[in-house]
């Protein structure tokens, strides 16, 4: 299988190198745009004899030159907070030495203003709202006063049951009829698990006051209160709980974006932050049981992307193997890597891949979160057997 993985990585790289000849008028985001491609190419250039260093250098220079003028949003998914987080990561891991310090104060001010706007409308979503800015400042290790401001907002916004030590936060989801509903979202991508990971990182950064630690405990308690009987329900947790229809739930998919695979890592990180072995054991149990879910149809796997596809599942199980060295996670990683390769069977797709969307298929998805640059990075980390440190960008470590 390793030779097939390498061939696929090289094919993906060729697609991306062909694409980056022209970076005019494109999305520049981390999850959805050019900076996700850059992350893949940085890693690829370290391993491949076909480095194309000059092309990569020119591409990197163009991105740095253009992103300030082209980016219009503050978000982690496709705006400045995600891009600047990536800069910190690339500096930390000796990929780049470019200096953006002259523009960073103005960008930081813009991010704080945007975060405060999100706070004013009670929008905490890490991909598109206030938490993404907080994650950037935690990564940067400066501006912790803004992190504290965000923590104060989360405390104020939370629905609190102090007797049962529960904290929970409202958000909005679209139900099966595309109706906007108030819910308690259990998704890593948009919900309370991302709050748990943000608070865990804040504690790791030294913000460990009673408000922060109590809120983290309350958030974990709420998530655990929603656990279902796996043998009867089909997963440990639903995707979300509708506020007005709490019994209207169904089992969750197997994916990074929604479901047990996002909750397990959140519990593990919270357990480490507050030295709660019981939370770590619960997170491990969830993840071990999830290795047995391998029916493509029942797990709602339709493509290979990180967000809701095979590569994302392989990525998460490999993270678990790196942390535990348990054979169950190694076997699950190999299974989902095989499935990732099998999904590359579309002649009209990029490197054989297409992305599943509710309105049809996207045959031209280069992105990190749902497209071939993310798939390529998962396959490359598996092939190279590296430490996969980049998965912190997806809140997995």
């Amino acid at each position: 299988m390793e030779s097939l993985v390498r061939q696929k990585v090289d094919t993906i790289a060729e697609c991306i190198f062909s694409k980056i000849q022209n970076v005019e008028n494109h999305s520049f985001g981390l999850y959805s745009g050019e900076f996700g491609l850059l992350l893949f190419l940085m890693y690829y250039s370290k391993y491949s004899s076909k480095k194309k260093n000059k092309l990569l250098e020119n591409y990197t220079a163009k991105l740095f030159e253009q992103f300030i003028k082209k980016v219009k949003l503050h978000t982690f998914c496709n705006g400045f907070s995600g891009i600047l987080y990536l800069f910190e990561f690339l500096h930390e891991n000796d990929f780049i030495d470019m200096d953006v310090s002259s523009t960073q104060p103005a960008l930081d001010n813009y991010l704080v203003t945007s975060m405060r706007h999100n706070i004013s409308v009670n929008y905490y979503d890490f991909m598109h709202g206030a938490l993404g800015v907080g994650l950037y400042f935690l990564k940067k290790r400066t501006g912790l006063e803004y992190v504290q401001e965000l923590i104060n907002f989360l405390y104020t916004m939370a629905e609190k049951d102090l007797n049962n030590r529960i904290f929970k936060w409202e958000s909005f989801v679209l139900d099966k009829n595309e109706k906007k509903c108030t819910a308690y979202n259990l998704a890593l991508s948009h919900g309370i698990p991302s709050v748990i990971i943000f608070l865990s990182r804040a504690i790791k950064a030294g913000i460990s006051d009673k408000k922060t630690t109590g809120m983290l405990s309350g958030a974990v308690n709420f998530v655990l209160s929603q656990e279902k009987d796996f043998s009867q329900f089909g997963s440990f947790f639903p995707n979300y709980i509708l506020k007005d229809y709490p019994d209207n739930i169904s089992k969750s998919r197997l994916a990074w974006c929604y479901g047990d695979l996002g909750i397990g890592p959140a519990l593990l990180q919270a357990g480490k932050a507050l030295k709660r072995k019981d939370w770590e054991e619960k997170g491990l149990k969830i993840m071990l049981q999830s290795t047995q879910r391998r029916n493509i149809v029942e797990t709602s796997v339709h493509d290979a992307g990180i967000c809701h596809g095979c590569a994302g599942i392989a990525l998460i199980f490999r993270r678990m193997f790196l942390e535990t060295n348990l054979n169950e996670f190694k076997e699950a990683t190999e299974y989902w890597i095989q499935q990732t390769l099998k999904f590359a069977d579309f002649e009209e797709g990029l490197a054989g891949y297409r992305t599943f969307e509710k309105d049809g298929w996207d045959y031209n998805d280069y992105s990190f979160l749902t497209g071939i640059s993310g798939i390529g990075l998962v396959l490359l980390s598996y092939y190279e057997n590296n430490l996969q440190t980049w998965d912190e960008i997806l809140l997995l470590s």
Side-chain angles (χ1 to χ4, degrees):
M1 185 172 70
E2 288 189 358
S3 63
L4 293 176
V5 171
R6 174 164 186 164
Q7 290 173 24
K8 185 55 64 178
V9 170
D10 287 339
T11 302
I12 289 171
E14 287 302 316
C15 286
I16 294 175
F17 275 122
S18 295
K19 193 249 186 212
I20 67 171
Q21 305 289 332
N22 176 17
V23 297
E24 301 294 335
N25 300 318
H26 291 294
S27 166
F28 282 72
L30 172 56
Y31 281 2
S32 59
E34 300 292 335
F35 280 96
L37 278 62
L38 179 66
L39 179 61
F40 166 76
L41 292 175
M42 289 287 186
Y43 274 91
Y44 184 78
S45 70
K46 279 194 168 184
Y47 118 94
S48 175
S49 59
K50 303 174 183 177
K51 292 182 180 180
K52 298 188 178 180
N53 277 340
K54 191 63 177 177
L55 179 56
L56 178 56
E57 288 174 8
N58 291 340
Y59 178 63
T60 304
K62 285 182 180 179
L63 290 185
F64 277 67
E65 177 186 333
Q66 295 182 26
F67 86 97
I68 294 177
K69 297 177 182 178
K70 300 287 182 123
V71 176
K72 305 298 182 184
L73 300 169
H74 71 285
T75 66
F76 200 87
C77 177
N78 48 21
F80 284 116
S81 58
I83 294 169
L84 293 177
Y85 187 106
L86 178 64
F87 287 175
E88 297 295 329
F89 176 84
L90 294 176
H91 273 293
E92 190 177 89
N93 290 274
D94 298 321
F95 282 102
I96 61 172
D97 58 6
M98 290 186 175
D99 184 9
V100 296
S101 59
S102 62
T103 59
Q104 206 153 2
L107 294 176
D108 286 357
N109 288 336
Y110 167 72
L111 289 176
V112 171
T113 300
S114 299
M115 182 191 77
R116 287 171 176 165
H117 173 72
N118 288 150
I119 286 173
S120 72
V121 294
N122 290 339
Y123 190 46
Y124 70 81
D125 188 297
F126 107 81
M127 286 178 61
H128 305 296
L131 279 183
V133 178
L135 289 167
Y136 158 64
F137 281 116
L138 282 173
K139 182 65 175 175
K140 189 182 175 186
R141 301 184 185 90
T142 61
L144 293 184
E145 66 271 23
Y146 306 123
V147 175
Q148 188 65 62
E149 188 175 337
L150 186 49
I151 289 171
N152 293 339
F153 154 68
L154 289 171
Y155 190 88
T156 301
M157 181 189 173
E159 292 184 25
K160 310 172 189 67
D161 179 351
L162 298 181
N163 290 330
N164 294 307
R165 292 183 296 173
I166 282 178
F167 282 70
K168 57 186 178 182
W169 292 265
E170 287 184 2
S171 60
F172 292 99
V173 300
L174 296 177
D175 66 12
K176 295 178 180 179
N177 299 315
E178 297 295 307
K179 179 183 177 183
K180 190 175 181 180
C181 301
T182 304
Y184 305 107
N185 198 326
L186 298 182
L188 176 62
S189 54
H190 304 292
I192 294 173
S194 65
V195 176
I196 289 172
I197 291 170
F198 168 75
L199 294 172
S200 299
R201 288 189 180 184
I203 291 168
K204 185 178 179 180
I207 304 175
S208 55
D209 55 279
K210 288 184 178 180
K211 179 183 290 186
T212 306
T213 58
M215 193 159 39
L216 176 56
S217 294
V220 170
N221 289 341
F222 171 70
V223 170
L224 292 177
S225 73
Q226 302 306 310
E227 183 180 354
K228 307 303 175 188
D229 183 338
F230 182 91
S231 64
Q232 300 295 319
F233 191 66
S235 64
F236 284 97
F237 297 93
N239 291 321
Y240 48 76
I241 300 94
L242 297 177
K243 187 170 185 178
D244 295 330
Y245 307 98
D247 296 325
N248 184 14
I249 57 175
S250 58
K251 74 174 182 180
S252 55
R253 69 197 308 167
L254 195 69
W256 172 82
C257 53
Y258 276 84
D260 296 346
L261 294 191
I263 293 173
L267 295 176
L268 287 163
Q269 292 182 50
K272 291 175 182 178
L274 291 185
K275 297 180 172 57
R276 288 287 301 265
K277 290 295 183 183
D278 54 332
W279 294 350
E280 292 187 61
E281 290 170 0
K282 174 61 74 173
L284 183 60
K285 177 183 176 181
I286 291 167
M287 301 306 286
L288 283 170
Q289 185 65 53
S290 296
T291 64
Q292 303 305 309
R293 297 178 65 185
R294 297 191 180 182
N295 184 299
I296 293 290
V297 175
E298 291 181 1
T299 53
S300 299
V301 176
H302 301 294
D303 63 18
I306 285 179
C307 184
H308 45 254
C310 296
I313 301 171
L315 168 75
I316 294 169
F317 285 138
R318 185 162 186 270
R319 165 51 53 199
M320 293 303 303
F321 175 68
L322 290 171
E323 295 192 6
T324 67
N325 206 35
L326 291 174
N327 195 53
E328 291 93 332
F329 294 124
K330 181 180 180 181
E331 291 180 351
T333 300
E334 291 172 351
Y335 173 81
W336 288 106
I337 289 290
Q338 290 173 350
Q339 299 308 308
T340 300
L341 294 174
K342 287 180 180 180
F343 267 97
D345 61 353
F346 301 96
E347 289 186 10
E348 63 272 51
L350 296 173
Y353 289 108
R354 63 180 183 175
T355 300
F356 179 75
E357 298 178 345
K358 65 179 181 179
D359 298 323
W361 294 96
D362 183 350
Y363 292 88
N364 197 45
D365 188 351
Y366 291 89
S367 75
F368 172 66
L369 188 61
T370 59
I372 63 168
S373 60
I375 296 169
L377 195 48
V378 171
L379 293 174
L380 180 58
S381 285
Y382 172 80
Y383 178 80
E384 286 283 276
N385 195 28
N386 64 36
L387 293 178
Q388 197 175 284
T389 54
W390 56 270
D391 65 12
E392 71 172 73
I393 293 169
L394 294 159
L395 306 190
L396 295 177
S397 61

